[in-house]
C-alpha cells in the first residue's frame, strides 16, 4: 500500500514538475556549500558596483577631461573589475566542486537506502546518470544562477539610479526593452525546461541501455546480433540527438534575439540621447555616459533573462534528482526501538501483498519451524521469491503480519534484523575485487586468514584459492566473470559461513549450475548449515525427501504444506511437479 501511494504521488508530481516549490524542496535536500556561494555572490556584487562606475568615469574622458586623476580612476576601476571577476570565478568553481561532491554523496546514499519498490518503477541503470551528469549540471546551474542573478539585479538598479541623475527621461527610455525581455523569458523558459528534462531522460536511457548490453556482451556475440545491437544503440543515441537539437534551436533563437535587442537598444540610445542633447536637456558628458551605459545595461538585462532560462533549465536537471531524493527511505526504520532477536519459529499470519496489479501473495498463513529445513516449491510466478523478500523486509505486507516468536518483524531495528539472515541467491552476489574482499563483504569485525582457510575448506573452494599466486588477495574480474558459477557460489557460501547467521535464505542457489555442480553445492549447504533455520526456494525436487517441510505455492496462495510423502498423497500439484521433473530427468539423460 505504501508503494502504491508513493507511485500515485509521483504521478501527480510529474504533472506539475518544474514548479518552484518542488525546486526549493530539492535545494533543501541537496545541502550545497551555501557559505561559499553567498561569499561568491557578495564578491560579485562588489564587481557590479565597480562596473557601474566605469561609464561615468569614461564619459569624462570622452567629454575632454584628460586629467591624470580621471585617467587613474578609469584604469583603477578596470583593474579592480578584472581582479574581482577572477576571484568570483575561483570561488564559484570551488563552491560548485564541493556542492557536486556533497550532492553525489546524498543521491548515492538515497539510492542505496530507498525502499525496494522504488526500483520497480525506476530502472537503476537509467538512474546512473543522476549521480554523474544530473548532479553536475544541476549544481553548476544553481551556483551560476545565484552568483549571477543577484549582482545582475544590483547592477541594473545602480545603473538606472545613475542614469536618472543625468535625466529621468533617459532613465525611462531604458524601460522600452523590458517587455521584449519578459516575453522572451516566459516562452523560451518553458521551452528550455522541457528540453533539459528530455535531454537528461535520454542520457539516462542511453546509459542504461549501454550498461545492459555491455553486461550481456557474451549473449550478443552468441547470437551474432552485433549488427542489430549497433542499430539499437544508434536509435537510442538518435533520440538523445533530437533532444539536444531542441537545445540548439534555443541557442540559435537566443543569438538572433541578442542581435535584435542590441540593434534596437543602440538605435534608441543614439536617437533619444541626441534629441535630448539637441533640446539642451542634457550635456555631452551625460549623453556619452548614457551611450556607454546602454550596451552594459542591455547586456545585464540579457544576462538576467539567461539566468531565468538557466533557472528553468536547472529545474529540468533537478526533476529526476528530486524523484530520487523523494523516494521512501528505509533509514527511518533504523530509529525503531530495538527488540531482542531470538531464533524462534517464523509465522506468516494472513499476509497479503501485491506489486501493483494482481496479488503476489494472498492470505498466507504459514509457520516455518526453527532449526529445520523448509522448501518452498511451485510454478513460476506463484509467489515463492516474494515470500523470501517479505521475510527479509525488502517489502512489507499490505495486510497481515510476519512474526518471529511473538514479535512482529516490523518492531525490530531493520538493520540489526537483517544481520540475522544469510542470503544465497541464483546470481551469486559477487562484486569485483580480491577474494578476501568478497569473503569479508558486509563483515565489520577483523577477520584473520585462519578463519578464511576454515570456511573456504568447508565450502570446497580452498583448493582453488591456494592454487592462485596471490591466494586470498587474488583479484576477481567485474561481476565475478573470471570464476565459474560453482566457484562463485562456493565463495558466497564461505562468506555466509564466516558470518554465521541464524536464518539461511536460499533463492534458487543452484539453478544456473550443471547437475554435478548443483548436487555439490546442495550437499555443502545442507551439511554446513545443519541445525540452522533454512528456507529454500527451488525448482529442484530431487532432495525433497530429506527436507523437514515443503510448502507448495500456487497463484500467491499456500496450496499445501507437509513432508514429501504427505504431499505425494494429498497434493495433486506437488505430485505433478515431481512426476514432470522425474520425466525430464530421465528424458534428458
Amino acid at each position: 500500500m505504501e508503494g502504491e501511494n508513493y507511485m500515485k504521488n509521483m504521478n501527480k508530481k510529474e504533472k506539475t514538475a518544474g514548479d518552484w516549490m518542488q525546486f526549493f524542496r530539492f535545494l533543501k535536500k541537496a545541502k550545497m556549500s551555501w557559505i561559499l556561494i553567498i561569499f561568491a555572490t557578495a564578491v560579485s556584487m562588489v564587481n557590479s558596483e565597480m562596473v557601474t562606475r566605469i561609464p561615468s568615469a569614461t564619459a569624462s574622458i570622452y567629454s575632454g577631461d584628460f586629467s591624470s586623476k580621471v585617467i587613474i580612476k578609469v584604469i583603477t576601476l578596470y583593474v579592480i573589475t578584472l581582479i574581482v571577476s577572477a576571484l568570483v570565478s575561483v570561488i564559484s568553481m570551488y563552491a560548485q566542486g564541493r556542492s557536486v561532491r556533497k550532492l553525489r554523496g546524498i543521491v548515492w546514499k538515497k539510492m542505496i537506502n530507498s525502499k525496494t519498490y522504488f526500483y520497480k518503477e525506476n530502472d537503476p541503470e537509467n538512474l546512473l546518470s543522476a549521480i554523474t551528469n544530473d548532479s553536475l549540471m544541476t549544481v553548476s546551474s544553481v551556483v551560476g544562477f545565484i552568483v549571477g542573478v543577484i549582482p545582475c539585479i544590483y547592477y541594473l538598479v545602480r545603473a538606472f539610479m545613475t542614469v536618472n541623475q543625468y535625466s529621468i527621461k533617459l532613465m525611462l527610455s531604458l524601460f522600452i526593452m523590458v517587455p521584449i525581455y519578459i516575453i522572451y523569458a516566459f516562452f523560451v523558459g518553458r521551452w528550455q525546461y522541457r528540453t533539459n528534462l528530455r535531454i537528461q531522460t535520454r542520457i539516462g536511457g542511453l546509459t542504461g541501455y549501454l550498461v545492459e548490453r555491455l553486461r550481456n556482451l557474451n549473449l550478443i556475440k552468441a547470437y551474432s546480433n552485433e549488427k542489430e545491437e549497433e542499430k539499437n544503440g544508434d536509435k537510442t543515441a538518435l533520440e538523445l540527438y533530437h533532444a539536444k537539437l531542441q537545445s540548439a534551436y534555443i541557442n540559435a533563437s537566443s543569438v538572433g534575439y541578442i542581435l535584435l535587442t542590441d540593434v534596437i537598444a543602440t538605435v534608441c540610445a543614439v536617437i533619444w540621447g541626441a534629441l535630448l542633447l539637441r533640446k539642451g536637456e542634457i550635456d555631452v558628458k551625460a549623453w556619452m555616459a548614457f551611450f556607454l551605459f546602454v550596451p552594459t545595461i542591455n547586456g545585464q538585462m540579457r544576462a538576467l533573462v539567461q539566468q531565468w532560462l538557466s533557472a528553468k533549465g536547472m529545474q529540468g536537471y533537478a526533476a529526476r534528482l528530486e524523484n530520487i531524493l523523494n523516494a521512501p527511505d528505509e533509514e527511518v526504520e533504523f530509529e525503531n526501538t530495538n527488540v531482542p532477536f531470538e531464533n524462534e519459529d517464523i509465522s506468516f499470519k494472513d499476509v497479503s501483498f501485491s506489486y501493483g496489479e494482481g496479488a503476489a501473495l494472498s492470505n498466507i498463513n504459514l509457520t516455518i519451524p526453527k532449526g529445520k529445513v523448509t522448501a518452498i516449491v511451485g510454478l513460476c510466478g506463484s509467489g515463492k521469491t516474494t515470500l523470501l523478500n517479505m521475510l527479509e523486509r525488502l517489502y512489507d505486507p499490505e495486510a497481515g503480519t510476519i512474526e518471529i516468536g511473538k514479535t512482529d518483524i516490523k518492531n525490530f531495528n531493520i538493520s540489526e534484523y537483517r544481520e540475522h539472515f544469510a542470503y544465497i541467491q541464483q546470481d551469486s552476489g559477487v562484486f569485483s575485487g580480491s577474494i578476501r574482499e568478497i569473503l569479508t563483504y558486509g563483515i565489520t569485525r577483523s577477520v584473520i586468514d585462519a578463519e578464511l582457510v576454515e570456511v573456504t575448506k568447508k565450502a570446497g573452494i580452498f583448493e582453488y584459492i591456494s592454487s592462485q599466486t596471490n591466494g586470498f588477495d587474488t583479484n576477481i574480474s567485474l561481476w565475478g566473470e573470471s570464476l565459474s558459477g560453482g566457484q562463485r557460489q562456493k565463495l558466497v557460501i564461505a562468506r555466509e559461513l564466516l558470518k554465521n547467521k541464524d536464518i539461511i535464505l536460499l533463492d534458487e542457489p543452484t539453478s544456473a549450475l550443471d547437475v554435478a555442480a548443483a548436487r555439490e553445492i546442495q550437499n555443502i549447504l545442507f551439511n554446513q548449515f545443519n541445525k540452522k533455520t533454512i528456507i529454500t526456494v527451488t525448482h529442484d525436487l530431487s532432495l525433497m525427501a530429506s527436507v523437514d517441510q515443503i510448502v507448495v505455492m500456487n497463484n500467491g496462495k499456500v496450496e499445501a504444506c507437509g513432508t514429501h510423502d504427505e504431499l505425494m498423497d494429498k497434493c495433486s500439484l506437488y505430485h505433478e511437479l515431481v512426476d514432470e521433473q522425474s520425466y525430464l530427468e530421465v528424458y534428458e539423460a
Side-chain angles (χ1 to χ4, degrees):
M1 187 65 67
E2 184 182 0
E4 290 182 5
N5 291 336
Y6 166 72
M7 293 315 303
K8 287 178 181 178
N9 291 335
M10 286 309 304
N11 290 335
K12 289 179 182 178
K13 286 184 178 182
E14 286 174 1
K15 296 176 182 179
T16 59
D19 65 90
W20 283 105
M21 290 303 298
Q22 178 196 34
F23 183 70
F24 289 140
R25 287 194 300 268
F26 163 76
L27 289 183
K28 183 178 180 180
K29 297 172 186 175
K31 298 181 180 179
M32 299 174 67
S33 298
W34 293 114
I35 294 178
L36 285 173
I37 295 172
I38 292 171
F39 182 51
T41 304
V43 176
S44 184
M45 289 179 68
V46 172
N47 184 64
S48 294
E49 176 63 30
M50 294 299 102
V51 173
T52 60
R53 298 183 181 186
I54 289 176
S56 296
T58 306
S60 297
I61 296 176
Y62 286 167
S63 62
D65 186 353
F66 297 101
S67 64
S68 58
K69 181 180 179 180
V70 173
I71 294 173
I72 291 173
K73 181 180 180 180
V74 172
I75 293 174
T76 301
L77 287 172
Y78 275 107
V79 171
I80 293 175
T81 300
L82 178 62
I83 295 173
V84 175
S85 296
L87 185 59
V88 170
S89 296
V90 171
I91 299 172
S92 298
M93 291 287 289
Y94 186 56
Q96 177 180 315
R98 286 178 59 86
S99 298
V100 169
R101 180 172 61 84
K102 285 184 180 180
L103 180 57
R104 283 174 174 165
I106 292 170
V107 173
W108 175 242
K109 181 180 179 181
K110 190 69 179 182
M111 292 177 74
I112 291 294
N113 290 300
S114 293
K115 293 277 190 178
T116 307
Y117 54 71
F118 173 72
Y119 295 105
K120 284 289 181 181
E121 299 293 334
N122 298 273
D123 185 353
E125 293 179 345
N126 287 346
L127 296 177
L128 292 177
S129 63
I131 295 179
T132 55
N133 187 73
D134 293 7
S135 296
L136 174 61
M137 296 303 295
T138 303
V139 169
S140 61
S141 297
V142 170
V143 174
F145 177 78
I146 295 175
V147 175
V149 72
I150 297 176
C152 184
I153 294 173
Y154 175 81
Y155 172 84
L156 290 172
V157 171
R158 289 285 290 116
F160 273 63
M161 290 173 61
T162 303
V163 173
N164 184 60
Q165 291 175 356
Y166 295 124
S167 170
I168 189 172
K169 292 182 178 180
L170 288 179
M171 188 269 291
L172 292 175
S173 69
L174 295 174
F175 284 96
I176 295 175
M177 302 305 301
V178 172
I180 298 176
Y181 285 108
I182 292 175
I183 293 171
Y184 178 83
F186 178 78
F187 289 105
V188 178
R190 295 172 64 90
W191 188 11
Q192 183 89 54
Y193 168 75
R194 291 193 298 268
T195 299
N196 281 352
L197 180 58
R198 191 179 301 116
I199 288 174
Q200 299 316 306
T201 302
R202 296 295 186 272
I203 289 175
L206 179 59
T207 303
Y209 178 86
L210 295 177
V211 169
E212 182 184 38
R213 262 48 186 184
L214 289 176
R215 187 171 185 176
N216 294 282
L217 193 58
N218 291 342
L219 179 63
I220 294 173
K221 292 183 179 297
Y223 282 85
S224 299
N225 207 37
E226 290 90 344
K227 293 295 183 183
E228 187 64 27
E229 290 300 341
E230 286 179 16
K231 294 178 182 178
N232 293 337
D234 288 340
K235 181 180 178 181
T236 307
L238 185 62
E239 293 176 357
L240 175 59
Y241 165 76
H242 285 307
K244 288 202 169 186
L245 198 60
Q246 292 292 318
S247 181
Y249 292 153
I250 294 175
N251 292 333
S253 300
S254 298
V255 171
Y257 156 80
I258 290 170
L259 294 174
L260 176 63
T261 54
D262 281 345
V263 170
I264 294 175
T266 303
V267 170
C268 288
V270 171
I271 296 176
W272 184 244
L275 287 174
L276 294 178
L277 180 63
R278 184 177 179 180
K279 291 180 179 181
E281 296 186 24
I282 60 173
D283 57 20
V284 174
K285 181 181 177 181
W287 185 81
M288 290 302 302
F290 176 68
F291 184 77
L292 293 172
F293 262 118
V294 166
T296 56
I297 290 175
N298 191 52
Q300 290 296 319
M301 284 187 175
R302 187 165 59 244
L304 195 59
V305 171
Q306 290 301 323
Q307 293 294 349
W308 170 256
L309 297 182
S310 175
K312 299 303 293 182
M314 65 189 176
Q315 286 181 330
Y317 291 131
R320 293 202 315 147
L321 291 173
E322 169 66 10
N323 180 34
I324 296 172
L325 295 179
N326 199 45
D329 198 337
E330 284 188 335
E331 280 191 323
V332 295
E333 307 280 0
F334 298 164
E335 299 174 1
N336 288 355
T337 303
N338 292 334
V339 178
F341 187 100
E342 297 181 3
N343 188 14
E344 300 289 343
D345 292 350
I346 301 170
S347 302
F348 288 76
K349 297 183 177 180
D350 298 318
V351 171
S352 296
F353 177 78
S354 66
Y355 290 108
E357 296 182 2
L361 298 176
S362 180
N363 297 318
I364 299 296
N365 287 282
L366 173 66
T367 298
I368 298 173
K370 67 174 182 178
K372 303 293 183 181
V373 179
T374 297
I376 303 175
V377 302
L379 300 172
C380 291
S382 59
K384 304 184 298 298
T385 298
T386 301
L387 276 178
L388 294 191
N389 291 337
M390 301 291 286
L391 184 56
E392 204 174 10
R393 291 208 59 193
L394 298 179
Y395 302 95
D396 290 328
E398 293 174 359
T401 60
I402 303 173
E403 299 176 1
I404 293 183
K406 295 182 179 180
T407 304
D408 188 334
I409 63 174
K410 287 184 178 180
N411 293 327
F412 292 105
N413 177 295
I414 192 169
S415 182
E416 294 184 4
Y417 170 77
R418 287 175 179 160
E419 281 293 313
H420 293 272
F421 289 84
Y423 187 50
I424 303 174
Q425 55 191 347
Q426 178 179 341
D427 60 6
S428 305
V430 171
F431 295 120
S432 60
S434 69
I435 292 177
R436 185 187 304 276
E437 290 170 336
I438 292 172
L439 291 172
T440 58
Y441 181 79
I443 299 175
T444 56
R445 66 179 179 85
S446 178
V447 178
I448 61 176
D449 281 3
E451 292 180 89
L452 299 180
V453 170
E454 180 183 0
V455 295
T456 51
K457 282 183 176 179
K458 289 180 179 179
I461 191 64
F462 178 73
E463 184 177 347
Y464 166 78
I465 296 173
S466 60
S467 69
Q468 304 300 303
T469 304
N470 295 321
F472 289 110
D473 295 314
T474 300
N475 284 321
I476 303 302
S477 63
L478 192 64
W479 299 306
E481 291 295 335
S482 56
L483 300 171
S484 68
Q487 288 171 330
R488 289 196 297 271
Q489 287 294 50
K490 289 176 181 178
L491 280 178
V492 174
I493 292 171
R495 180 173 66 200
E496 300 306 333
L497 287 171
L498 192 63
K499 292 168 73 175
N500 191 29
K501 301 306 179 182
D502 302 311
I503 301 171
I504 316 300
L505 305 180
L506 309 175
D507 189 2
E508 301 283 2
T510 61
S511 62
L513 306 178
D514 58 54
V515 175
R519 292 293 177 268
E520 182 183 8
I521 294 298
Q522 286 174 340
N523 290 332
I524 293 172
L525 287 170
F526 286 109
N527 290 333
Q528 297 301 330
F529 292 109
N530 187 31
K531 296 183 180 179
K532 300 278 188 180
T533 301
I534 299 177
I535 307 169
T536 178
V537 168
T538 182
H539 284 98
D540 187 353
L541 306 182
S542 60
L543 295 179
M544 291 303 100
S546 60
V547 304
D548 300 295
Q549 176 180 250
I550 304 168
V551 179
V552 183
M553 297 292 298
N554 187 19
N555 292 324
K557 298 181 180 180
V558 176
E559 181 85 3
C561 184
T563 65
H564 171 74
D565 291 336
E566 291 171 345
L567 293 176
M568 289 295 288
D569 290 335
K570 69 179 183 179
C571 181
S572 59
L573 175 58
Y574 181 76
H575 202 298
E576 291 173 7
L577 292 173
V578 172
D579 288 346
E580 180 180 359
Q581 187 168 108
S582 299
Y583 170 78
L584 289 174
E585 288 177 350
V586 173
Y587 181 78
E588 291 174 353

